[in-house]
């Protein structure tokens, strides 16, 4: 089976590694000179920054991505955060469990009931499922300041969206995922360690990865892709890692029915800013995430807590994320640095990276779910993350669905 994969991001390479291992003749075409897309390391002034992700996997070594990597025999080390998270509240960084102290007794009882319902798969349905998550939480738990602000920082960190932009069902399923698979984990060697392993597996299974090859057309009738330099690659199966709208554009809108084209109009990206800060200390917070409900940034982590090689000698590397709320980028960057330098007066700003437009945090933001209609051509990556699938663990759930369609495994127990 001849398989062409358009794009060597995490989604494309993860799918490619499975297909190559299962006997497909895999060719990955990547327009950029490097592979990994928004999930690889970016060497910068002695630090291993990244092209996107914060060197962190949402559900660490127990989530869907880690499961697929284990099935592939990828040699990567993911270490779960301990504690799973911390919260900066009333000026102090606290263990996440301390958060319960800031709920009234009534709120606490209602929150525990809601968690039990989610765990038992009693999820919002119908109109309730579609209501904005902040309204849903207010209805279910109450108006308390802490819970709303905490969840706002959670969705800003995990999805780069505001709580009000998420439908209740998406938040409920993300909570379900977290209850089931736990909190995040850091990757030893950073994002690139995973990309390197996936490309090794593809190449060892006779696949090829061609860089500087931009696909400009997909001819679904003739089953060929055409590249900018006029080369043609024929396929039996095509995997697109470049997003749903982008794939439709390469195939041509005439190929799709009107209803599907209407559905894809609702696809919007999520946008954000990542801040990289150096601190001349051995360690700052350790392997964990600090949610920052009182600040403009949503949270931060310390990738060098697991792997010192990600940082310049003598320094720790802090990465913070901020969901983009308005168009004033300069102001947002200033506010982000202010937050960080107030918290860490000894910090040294390295770089702020802005993700929007054609290089967003997610091509299809969390809460928007579009099912791809074609057979033989499939979309993977952050354009296709099933409900509740946070970031790269969501990408892994989407890849599982595509592998099932190709009869390369069953993954039902992973679906939320
Ligand atoms: P991409 O990485 O975008 O890969 C697509 C590839 O296709 C690219 O290499 C591109 O060059 C190539 N391409 C595009 N068009 C063509 C074409 N026509 N022909 C050939 N090639 C083409 N996720 C986490 O799990 N944890 C995190 O901590 C985290 N933090 C994040 C922080 C930020 C600031 C950002 C931006 C993202 C973060 N994410 C995180 C999300 C995660 O990085 C992305 O969801 C993921 O990397 C997307 O992978 P992908 O394979 O879908 O797409």
């Amino acid at each position: 089976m001849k398989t062409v994969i358009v794009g060597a991001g995490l989604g494309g390479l993860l799918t490619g590694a499975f297909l190559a291992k299962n006997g497909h003749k895999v060719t990955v075409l990547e327009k950029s000179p490097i592979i990994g897309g928004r999930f690889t390391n970016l060497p910068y002034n002695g630090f291993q920054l990244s092209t996107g992700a914060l060197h962190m996997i949402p559900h660490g070594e127990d989530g869907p991505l880690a499961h697929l990597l284990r099935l592939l025999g990828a040699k990567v080390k993911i270490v779960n955060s301990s504690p799973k998270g911390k919260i900066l509240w009333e000026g102090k960084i606290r263990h996440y469990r301390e958060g319960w102290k800031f709920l009234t007794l009534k709120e606490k009882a209602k929150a525990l009931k809601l968690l039990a319902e989610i765990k038992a798969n009693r999820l919002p349905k119908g109109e309730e499922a579609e209501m904005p998550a902040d309204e849903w939480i207010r209805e279910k738990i109450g108006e308390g300041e802490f819970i709303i602000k905490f969840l706002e920082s959670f969705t800003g960190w995990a999805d780069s969206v505001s709580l009000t932009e998420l439908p209740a069902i998406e938040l409920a399923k993300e909570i379900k995922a977290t209850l089931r698979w736990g909190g995040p984990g850091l990757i030893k060697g950073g994002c690139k360690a995973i990309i390197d392993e996936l490309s090794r597996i593809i190449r060892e299974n006779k696949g090829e990865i061609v860089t500087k090859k931009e696909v400009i057309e997909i001819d679904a009738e003739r089953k060929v892709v055409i590249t900018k330099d006029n080369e043609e690659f024929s396929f039996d199966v095509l995997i697109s890692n470049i997003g749903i709208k982008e794939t439709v554009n390469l195939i041509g809108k005439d190929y799709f029915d009107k209803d599907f084209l209407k559905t894809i109009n609702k696809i919007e990206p999520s946008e954000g800013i990542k801040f990289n800060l150096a601190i001349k200390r051995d360690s700052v917070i350790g392997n964990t995430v600090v949610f920052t409900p009182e600040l403009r940034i949503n949270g931060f982590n310390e990738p060098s807590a697991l792997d010192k090689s990600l940082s310049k000698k003598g320094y720790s590397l802090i990465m913070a994320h901020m969901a983009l709320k308005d168009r004033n980028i300069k102001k947002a960057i200033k506010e982000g640095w202010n937050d960080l330098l107030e918290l860490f007066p000894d910090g040294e700003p390295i770089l702020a990276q802005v993700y929007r437009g054609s290089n967003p945090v997610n091509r299809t933001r969390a809460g928007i779910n579009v099912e791809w209609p074609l057979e033989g051509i499939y979309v993977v990556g952050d354009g296709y993350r099933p409900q509740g699938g946070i970031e790269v663990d969501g990408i892994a759930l989407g890849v599982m669905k595509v592998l099932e369609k190709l009869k390369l495994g069953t993954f039902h127990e992973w679906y939320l």
Side-chain angles (χ1 to χ4, degrees):
M1 194 82 87
K2 240 196 244 175
T3 298
V4 169
I5 299 187
V6 184
L10 179 77
L13 294 174
L14 186 60
T15 317
F18 267 95
L19 299 188
K21 267 202 133 179
N22 281 281
H24 284 230
K25 191 176 175 317
V26 169
T27 304
V28 186
L29 305 174
E30 166 56 52
K31 75 172 175 187
S32 135
I34 62 156
I35 62 167
R38 285 164 289 156
F39 201 78
T40 192
N41 296 8
L42 178 70
Y44 189 88
N45 287 352
F47 293 87
Q48 291 293 325
L49 307 187
S50 81
T51 50
L54 295 99
H55 296 312
M56 187 158 241
I57 301 197
H59 302 292
E61 52 185 308
D62 303 305
L65 177 62
H67 176 68
L68 289 186
L69 292 171
R70 269 193 298 274
L71 288 182
L72 284 168
K75 294 177 210 124
V76 288
K77 193 166 180 208
I78 299 161
V79 178
N80 284 350
S81 297
S82 176
K84 289 182 186 117
K86 291 189 174 186
I87 306 172
L88 175 72
W89 188 251
E90 293 180 344
K92 198 178 147 203
I93 295 177
R94 311 155 185 275
H95 192 289
Y96 75 94
R97 277 196 217 105
E98 258 193 73
W100 289 108
K101 273 196 343 208
F102 302 103
L103 271 65
T104 62
L105 276 179
K106 208 168 162 192
E107 284 171 351
K108 194 174 168 184
K110 286 183 169 181
L112 286 170
K113 183 168 172 260
L114 183 62
L115 288 178
E117 280 172 10
I118 291 173
K119 211 170 174 181
N121 212 23
R122 288 203 298 279
L123 301 168
K125 285 199 184 90
E127 276 180 21
E128 187 190 354
E130 293 313 315
M131 68 195 282
D134 56 337
E135 278 177 36
W136 181 64
I137 289 294
R138 283 193 174 93
E139 231 173 60
K140 287 277 176 186
I141 302 178
E143 294 284 339
E145 189 196 5
F146 174 77
I147 189 77
I148 294 293
K149 284 198 165 170
F150 168 69
L151 287 174
E152 184 69 36
S153 68
F154 172 78
T155 60
W157 170 264
D159 299 315
S160 211
V161 298
S162 171
L163 192 54
T164 193
E165 291 174 279
L166 272 195
I169 184 67
E170 177 64 29
L171 179 66
K173 286 202 177 178
E174 289 185 10
I175 293 172
K176 185 177 168 189
T178 307
L179 291 170
R180 191 184 275 187
W181 303 318
L186 285 170
I187 312 153
K188 193 155 175 28
C191 303
K192 185 170 181 291
I194 292 183
I195 296 301
D196 284 349
E197 273 299 281
L198 294 175
S199 65
R200 174 188 67 79
I201 293 166
I202 291 174
R203 289 186 171 117
E204 279 183 8
N205 288 280
K206 300 194 179 74
E208 58 169 348
I209 301 172
V210 193
T211 53
K212 298 191 206 160
K213 273 281 173 207
E214 180 173 352
V215 174
I216 56 163
E217 194 184 330
I218 299 169
D219 187 331
E221 293 290 344
R222 284 172 56 227
K223 292 194 164 192
V224 291
V225 300
I226 300 148
T227 62
K228 203 174 178 181
D229 55 359
N230 253 324
E231 207 174 334
E232 290 198 354
F233 293 81
S234 62
F235 62 84
D236 302 305
V237 173
L238 180 89
I239 306 290
S240 171
N241 185 205
I242 66 171
I244 290 185
K245 279 187 181 172
E246 294 79 355
T247 308
V248 167
N249 286 340
L250 292 194
I251 295 174
K253 287 197 170 131
D254 294 348
Y255 204 78
F256 297 87
D257 70 37
K258 280 204 181 90
D259 286 344
F260 177 70
L261 294 176
K262 242 192 231 161
T263 342
I264 65 170
N265 276 338
K266 70 180 184 192
I267 295 179
E268 280 174 21
S270 60
E271 302 181 317
I273 306 178
K274 185 175 64 178
F275 297 87
N276 303 278
L277 184 80
I279 305 186
K280 214 171 190 174
R281 291 191 227 165
D282 192 36
S283 181
V284 182
I285 51 159
N287 178 0
T288 190
V289 179
V290 179
F291 295 98
T292 52
E294 290 172 312
L295 303 183
R296 182 65 186 84
I297 54 166
N298 304 115
F300 58 89
N301 69 355
E302 184 189 342
S304 58
L306 174 68
D307 188 343
K308 290 261 174 264
S309 74
L310 298 176
S311 193
K312 196 155 104 181
K313 200 163 184 279
Y315 283 86
S316 290
L317 171 63
I318 293 284
M319 288 183 170
H321 187 74
M322 177 198 278
L324 208 53
K325 286 189 179 149
D326 57 47
R327 301 286 88 200
N328 194 339
I329 305 291
K330 259 192 182 166
K331 183 168 156 259
I333 292 179
K334 204 171 157 205
E335 286 170 351
W337 285 131
N338 282 348
D339 278 352
L340 284 166
L341 293 172
E342 240 173 68
L343 261 176
F344 304 115
D346 55 341
E348 300 170 28
I350 312 174
L351 184 69
Q353 295 163 282
V354 179
Y355 295 87
R356 61 181 182 146
S358 60
N359 187 34
V361 176
N362 287 134
R363 278 197 210 88
T364 302
R365 71 169 158 77
I368 299 175
N369 302 100
V370 172
E371 281 301 320
W372 181 251
L374 305 183
E375 292 280 316
I377 298 180
Y378 305 96
V379 173
V380 296
D382 69 353
Y384 179 50
R385 288 174 303 139
Q387 259 178 357
I390 302 176
E391 301 292 3
V392 295
D393 276 319
I395 290 179
L397 292 179
V399 168
M400 287 176 176
K401 294 220 169 192
V402 169
L403 293 176
E404 275 185 355
K405 284 183 186 156
L406 292 167
K407 312 233 172 326
L408 294 178
T410 51
F411 299 96
H412 292 294
E413 72 276 18
W414 285 90
Y415 300 146
L416 291 160

